[in-house]
Amino acid sequence: MIGKRLSAAKSSKAEAPVAPTTGPKHVAIIMDGNGRWAQKKGKIRTFGHKAGVESVRAVVRFARQNGIESLTLFAFSSENWKRPEEEVSVLMDLFNLVLNSEAKRLHKNGVRLQVIGDVEAFDAKLVEKIRKAEDMTKDNKDLVLNIAANYGGRWDIVNAAKQLASQVKSGEIDVQDITEDALNAHISTANLPELDLLIRTGGEHRISNFLLWQCAYAELYFTDVLWPDFNEDVFQLAVNDYNVRQRRFGLTGEQVVTADG
C-alpha cells in the first residue's frame, strides 16, 4: 500500500501535475526508511542514506515544476546523534558531499537553500560550507529548499521563546506583546508560507518532533514507500490526496463551502 488514503486514486500511476494555483505552497517531508531499504537489499544502513540522495533530487524537481514555493526536508534530527557513531559519521560526510556537489546545481536552477536547526553544533568547516551555499543562493526565487539539520520541533519553539524572553528583559517589548504572531516571527520558518502538507515515508505514523508549531493545521500524509523509492509519481499521489481534502481551520464544512463561493 503506497498511502493510507489511496483508495481515492483509481490507479497506482500518478496523474498529470496539478495546476500551481491549486496545490500546496509549502510541503515538508520526513525522509524515513533509508536504513530498512538498505537492509532489505542485504546492505549496511548507510548504503540507504546514499541512495536517498537521488530521491532528494526528484522531490526538488517535482516541487519546482508544480508551483510549490517551499520544500522542507528533515535530514538530521537533534535525536539522531544517538545513532551508532559510524552511521552519524557517514551522515555528516554525506551532508558535506551533497553541499559540494549540489549547491551549484541548486543555484543554477533558481533554488534558494536554507538550513534550519542548531547548525552551530556541527564541525566548523561544515558550518562554513552551509553559510556559503546559503549566501550563494539567497536571491533565487523559483523554490526555497529548507534542510532541517540538527533540528527538533521543541528546540524551535524554545529558541523562539528565548528570543522573546530576551526582548522582554531588555525592555523592547512587554509580556502582553507575546502573542502567537510574535512567537511565530521567531520560528525558523517564519519567512515561509504556512505549512500545507507534511509527508512521512517509511510506514511510520508519527511526526517525530518535526515542525511541531508549523503542523498545527497542516494536512498529514503517510506512505509505506521507503525514502530511496520515493519519486515524482509518489509525490504526485500525495499532492492529489491533498487536493481533494477540505481544509476547515476550525470552521464547519458548510462554512468553508460558503466562503469559497
Side-chain angles (χ1 to χ4, degrees), residues 62 116 156 257:
F62 181 92
I116 60 174
D156 203 357
V257 171

Side-chain angles (χ1 to χ4, degrees), residues 162-235:
K162 285 180 177 178
Q163 293 181 62
L164 289 175
S166 179
Q167 289 179 320
V168 171
K169 184 177 180 180
S170 67
E172 295 176 58
I173 63 173
D174 294 325
V175 172
Q176 291 77 11
D177 296 323
I178 299 177
T179 62
E180 287 188 17
D181 287 342
L183 193 145
N184 189 63
H186 293 287
I187 290 290
S188 61
T189 57
N191 63 320
L192 306 176
E194 290 287 328
L195 181 62
D196 294 312
L197 173 63
L198 173 67
I199 300 168
R200 180 171 186 146
T201 67
E204 303 291 354
H205 296 173
R206 54 179 177 267
I207 59 176
S208 297
N209 195 24
F210 184 46
L211 301 180
L212 297 181
W213 177 269
Q214 297 88 332
C215 277
Y217 280 101
E219 297 295 319
L220 307 182
Y221 182 91
F222 302 102
T223 172
D224 291 333
V225 173
L226 302 176
W227 179 247
D229 292 326
F230 193 93
N231 56 28
E232 290 97 331
D233 287 348
V234 185
F235 202 162

Side-chain angles (χ1 to χ4, degrees), residues 32-235:
D32 193 18
N34 289 326
R36 282 172 286 154
W37 182 88
Q39 289 169 338
K40 285 185 176 182
K41 296 181 178 298
K43 306 285 187 179
I44 59 175
R45 288 177 54 84
T46 53
F47 181 79
H49 294 303
K50 294 174 182 178
V53 173
E54 183 52 45
S55 293
V56 172
R57 295 187 183 115
V59 298
V60 170
R61 283 195 302 269
F62 181 92
R64 289 183 62 248
Q65 294 168 1
N66 289 272
I68 295 171
E69 297 175 7
S70 300
L71 178 65
T72 302
L73 304 179
F74 204 7
F76 189 85
S77 80
S78 51
E79 288 80 22
N80 286 157
W81 294 108
K82 302 173 186 176
R83 291 193 174 190
E85 185 177 345
E86 180 183 359
E87 184 171 350
V88 172
S89 178
V90 169
L91 284 169
M92 293 300 103
D93 289 343
L94 186 59
F95 198 5
N96 266 293
L97 179 64
V98 169
L99 280 171
N100 287 335
S101 63
E102 301 297 318
K104 290 183 179 179
R105 180 183 300 186
L106 293 173
H107 185 46
K108 182 179 179 181
N109 287 286
V111 178
R112 177 182 177 182
L113 177 68
Q114 292 185 162
V115 179
I116 60 174
D118 187 11
V119 298
E120 299 304 325
F122 294 136
D123 177 84
K125 290 184 178 179
L126 177 56
V127 174
E128 183 180 3
K129 286 182 182 179
I130 290 171
R131 299 310 181 203
K132 284 184 177 180
E134 289 179 325
D135 186 64
M136 177 175 63
T137 63
K138 65 182 180 181
D139 295 323
N140 294 336
K141 305 295 184 183
D142 288 0
L143 172 71
V144 179
L145 174 62
N146 305 288
I147 302 297
N150 196 27
Y151 175 88
R154 290 179 176 178
W155 167 87
D156 203 357
I157 296 170
V158 169
N159 188 54
K162 285 180 177 178
Q163 293 181 62
L164 289 175
S166 179
Q167 289 179 320
V168 171
K169 184 177 180 180
S170 67
E172 295 176 58
I173 63 173
D174 294 325
V175 172
Q176 291 77 11
D177 296 323
I178 299 177
T179 62
E180 287 188 17
D181 287 342
L183 193 145
N184 189 63
H186 293 287
I187 290 290
S188 61
T189 57
N191 63 320
L192 306 176
E194 290 287 328
L195 181 62
D196 294 312
L197 173 63
L198 173 67
I199 300 168
R200 180 171 186 146
T201 67
E204 303 291 354
H205 296 173
R206 54 179 177 267
I207 59 176
S208 297
N209 195 24
F210 184 46
L211 301 180
L212 297 181
W213 177 269
Q214 297 88 332
C215 277
Y217 280 101
E219 297 295 319
L220 307 182
Y221 182 91
F222 302 102
T223 172
D224 291 333
V225 173
L226 302 176
W227 179 247
D229 292 326
F230 193 93
N231 56 28
E232 290 97 331
D233 287 348
V234 185
F235 202 162

